[in-house]
Amino acid sequence: MRNLGKEDIIRVYDHFKKSAHASFESGDHDKAIEWVSACSRIAYHSNFFYTDPELDGLLRDIAQVVCGGDIRVEADTPGDRLVFIDTDGSDNHGLTQQYIRALIAAGAEFAYVYEDADLGRIKTILGEIRDYPKATVITFEKGNSDIHKTRAIADFIREYRPRKYIMHILPWDAVAVMVCNLLKGVDRYNINATDHAFWLGASCIDYCIEFRDYGYTVSLEQRGLKKSQLLMLPYYPISNGAAFKGFPARIPEDAVKVFSGGSFYKIYGEKGLYFDMVRRLLSENPQAVVLYAGAGNGSKLKRYIKENGLVDRVILLGNRGDIDGVFQTCDFYLGTYPICGGLMSQYAAVSGKAILAYTDPKLGINMIEGLVCHQDQAHITDTSLEGFYARGKRLCDDETYRREEGDHLKRCVIPPLVFNDELRYLLENNVSKRVGRKEYVDYEAFSDLHLEVENHYQPNIQMYVALRLRWKTALKFPKIFVNAMTIKMSRILKIK
């Protein structure tokens, strides 16, 4: 396979964007929206840039045509209704439940708009909303087009007349951004849950809710947003309360259980350093075992475990729905690298478990402190490997130290009542109680990491381009076509 360079990916992005404009000019608005979303997926997986006002503007032009002009809510409109539009939420994942519970606690009148037709993902969320008399739920049927959804939401908002519009959306959600572009006299917010990457809509929002200084910095430096638009509000994790299903019987009862986990892509890159960190950690601490729970393609980790004789020391748990019980039963948490797990780190902290983590200083996105230390400060992330191994040994050897570290982290995470109060204040004043601070971000190092992952571990962009363009890929982007066919054939041969 031939490695992709930045110029190869930019060429794909530009081709997709030209196709979006051409589709709009020919009157094919559905296709234009598809191309805009496709551009966004390419940008999200590459991290060469973080916003594109041209795409936002194209979505505005499409929305104007298909919805018949702006949606204006007059300043003297009575009430304080909100619309919360969601594509990034599911039960016990994302930030939907934290925000919905805070709105309910504040007694707010709101409409919850869920774009995905699969309501099975939000059973708990829907149950909580439908039990609240001041909420309205808007959902869609399978097969509804993006234009149908945009028109339906626009028509609803014209009647509902909210004062605020809050987006909790996927980076390529064109529908929510088209509606956002139409709103006049409405405060428009984006919950920046994907603060490390590209997302649509930065040029059409009034406020961006940031959960850490890393995202605050990226929004200032790369998205063109002003300090006055950036509102700081960290979040807490949602517990599902599922019963603990136990660990495999072959794990010794007296072993130090080091839990690690997250989507497998988070441990790929930096020449497999995470794998080597695990191997040395176990070599220096014979009483320890590593338990890994995650989803995705784990073939490289499985091969490493076998080739290095770690079958009895690294145990793969699969995708665990009883994550609370897993954390309660482990001894401490090992952070993933080169991409840390934000939600997993928070679960560890609220479970009172110490966190062992490393990052190269150039990858500041991995500083766990920004994800956990909301109410108090703590040292969590080592930026030297020797410091990491020394702390790992102490955590394995000293039960009292583990407990004290975990108890401290438990006090660091923002509690639900504080979150509720700060969101209410934020929405009432368009100012946050917390102040963001700029930090150093090495954008080139981060985009280089994504390029390494694309070329050597998970070819998301290449497979997506081949799927979208099919045989046209061979004509437009022959390198990507050859790579995608090679990957596909290797997967078929492995299955056989």
Side-chain angles (χ1 to χ4, degrees):
M1 287 178 53
R2 297 171 60 195
N3 287 348
L4 292 193
K6 178 178 179 179
E7 66 283 356
D8 296 308
I9 296 174
I10 295 296
R11 196 155 49 243
V12 171
Y13 184 86
D14 288 342
H15 173 73
F16 281 15
K17 186 153 70 171
K18 288 177 183 177
S19 298
H21 282 290
S23 296
F24 174 71
E25 290 165 7
S26 68
D28 192 343
H29 301 130
D30 287 297
K31 186 63 70 175
I33 294 169
E34 286 182 20
W35 284 115
V36 169
S37 294
C39 282
S40 306
R41 289 176 185 270
I42 299 297
Y44 170 80
H45 284 295
S46 57
N47 287 286
F48 297 137
F49 48 88
Y50 294 82
T51 187
D52 189 339
E54 189 178 343
L55 289 185
D56 293 344
L58 181 55
L59 290 177
R60 180 187 63 243
D61 294 342
I62 296 170
Q64 288 285 340
V65 173
V66 302
C67 294
D70 291 334
I71 303 169
R72 192 171 298 278
V73 177
E74 301 301 332
D76 59 354
T77 299
D80 292 302
R81 288 173 166 172
L82 305 96
V83 169
F84 187 99
I85 186 163
D86 190 16
T87 50
D88 197 20
S90 59
D91 291 339
N92 311 309
H93 174 78
L95 304 182
T96 302
Q97 283 162 286
Q98 294 91 328
Y99 276 79
I100 292 299
R101 290 175 182 178
L103 293 177
I104 291 173
E109 184 177 1
F110 68 90
Y112 175 73
V113 181
Y114 188 67
E115 290 186 44
D116 198 304
D118 181 10
L119 302 185
R121 296 174 55 204
I122 57 167
K123 288 181 180 179
T124 301
I125 294 168
L126 283 179
E128 292 183 21
I129 295 174
R130 286 171 173 161
D131 285 341
Y132 179 63
K134 296 170 71 174
T136 301
V137 176
I138 306 295
T139 60
F140 296 95
E141 299 293 329
K142 186 176 181 179
N144 287 155
S145 69
D146 285 345
I147 287 179
H148 170 89
K149 293 176 185 178
T150 304
R151 284 173 173 157
I153 296 168
D155 290 344
F156 170 78
I157 288 177
R158 284 192 174 97
E159 294 294 323
Y160 194 69
R161 296 193 298 170
R163 303 309 305 271
K164 297 180 185 294
Y165 179 79
I166 304 171
M167 299 190 295
H168 177 241
I169 59 175
L170 293 170
W172 42 82
D173 183 352
V175 171
V177 174
M178 283 193 287
V179 174
C180 186
N181 267 305
L182 296 173
L183 299 177
K184 306 297 178 185
V186 178
D187 291 333
R188 302 165 297 178
Y189 307 79
N190 182 59
I191 301 170
N192 190 8
T194 317
D195 69 347
H196 65 284
F198 175 97
W199 40 265
L200 288 169
S203 65
C204 66
I205 58 174
D206 300 304
Y207 302 100
C208 191
I209 303 177
E210 307 284 354
F211 66 86
R212 59 176 172 173
D213 289 339
Y214 185 93
Y216 173 88
T217 303
V218 174
S219 288
L220 274 179
E221 294 181 346
Q222 300 293 326
R223 302 191 208 279
L225 296 172
K226 301 174 183 176
K227 285 184 179 181
S228 59
Q229 293 178 277
L230 304 181
L231 310 176
M232 303 300 296
L233 181 59
Y235 61 89
Y236 62 92
I238 297 293
S239 170
N240 65 7
F244 179 52
K245 297 177 182 178
F247 290 143
R250 61 193 174 99
I251 299 174
E253 194 66 33
D254 59 349
V256 174
K257 301 172 185 67
V258 182
F259 179 56
S260 189
S263 298
F264 284 108
Y265 78 86
K266 294 185 177 182
I267 60 174
Y268 296 150
E270 290 285 284
K271 300 179 180 178
L273 180 57
Y274 174 85
F275 301 172
D276 295 336
M277 288 162 57
V278 168
R279 183 178 62 175
R280 180 170 164 182
L281 180 68
L282 292 174
S283 174
E284 295 181 355
N285 300 280
Q287 75 275 43
V289 295
V290 170
L291 312 171
Y292 194 98
N297 182 2
S299 60
K300 294 186 185 301
L301 178 58
K302 292 176 183 176
R303 185 166 61 248
Y304 187 90
I305 292 170
K306 186 175 180 180
E307 291 175 352
N308 288 273
L310 298 173
V311 174
D312 293 322
R313 306 288 307 282
V314 180
I315 316 297
L316 300 184
L317 301 178
N319 195 14
R320 298 290 291 246
D322 58 338
I323 199 69
D324 296 330
V326 170
F327 271 109
Q328 291 295 337
T329 313
C330 76
D331 290 297
F332 65 91
Y333 176 68
L334 170 63
T336 51
Y337 184 79
I339 300 293
C340 73
L343 183 59
M344 298 293 270
S345 299
Q346 287 194 334
Y347 275 131
V350 298
S351 299
K353 300 298 177 179
I355 300 172
L356 175 64
Y358 164 79
T359 189
D360 187 304
K362 68 185 179 183
L363 293 174
I365 187 174
N366 292 319
M367 297 300 292
I368 304 296
E369 288 80 352
L371 299 159
V372 168
C373 298
H374 311 143
Q375 306 297 99
D376 198 3
Q377 297 304 305
H379 168 72
I380 303 172
T381 314
D382 283 295
T383 54
S384 81
L385 281 170
E386 292 309 312
F388 167 85
Y389 294 123
R391 188 160 181 268
K393 183 159 185 58
R394 188 177 178 189
L395 286 170
C396 287
D397 289 344
D398 191 337
E399 183 179 351
T400 300
Y401 176 66
R402 288 200 302 264
R403 185 174 60 252
E404 290 173 348
E405 288 287 289
D407 289 345
H408 182 203
L409 291 186
K410 194 171 186 177
R411 298 190 297 270
C412 289
V413 179
I414 186 171
L417 289 179
V418 175
F419 177 90
N420 294 352
D421 175 69
E422 293 194 19
L423 179 62
R424 179 189 54 77
Y425 181 88
L426 181 155
L427 292 174
E428 287 177 354
N429 300 283
N430 288 332
V431 174
S432 57
K433 290 188 174 183
R434 299 170 191 258
V435 177
R437 293 176 176 82
K438 283 185 67 173
E439 60 182 42
Y440 174 71
V441 177
D442 190 331
Y443 297 103
E444 185 175 357
F446 193 54
S447 61
D448 286 348
L449 170 63
H450 279 262
L451 203 55
E452 179 193 356
V453 172
E454 175 68 30
N455 283 318
H456 301 290
Y457 297 98
Q458 286 194 269
N460 291 313
I461 293 174
Q462 295 171 90
M463 299 309 291
Y464 179 72
V465 171
L467 179 65
R468 178 144 194 95
L469 296 181
R470 298 188 181 277
W471 289 103
K472 291 181 182 178
T473 312
L475 300 175
K476 300 287 185 181
F477 310 105
K479 184 193 296 186
I480 291 178
F481 177 78
V482 171
N483 286 351
M485 291 302 294
T486 302
I487 294 164
K488 189 171 183 179
M489 287 304 298
S490 67
R491 290 175 179 175
I492 292 172
L493 291 173
K494 281 183 181 179
I495 292 172
K496 289 182 176 181

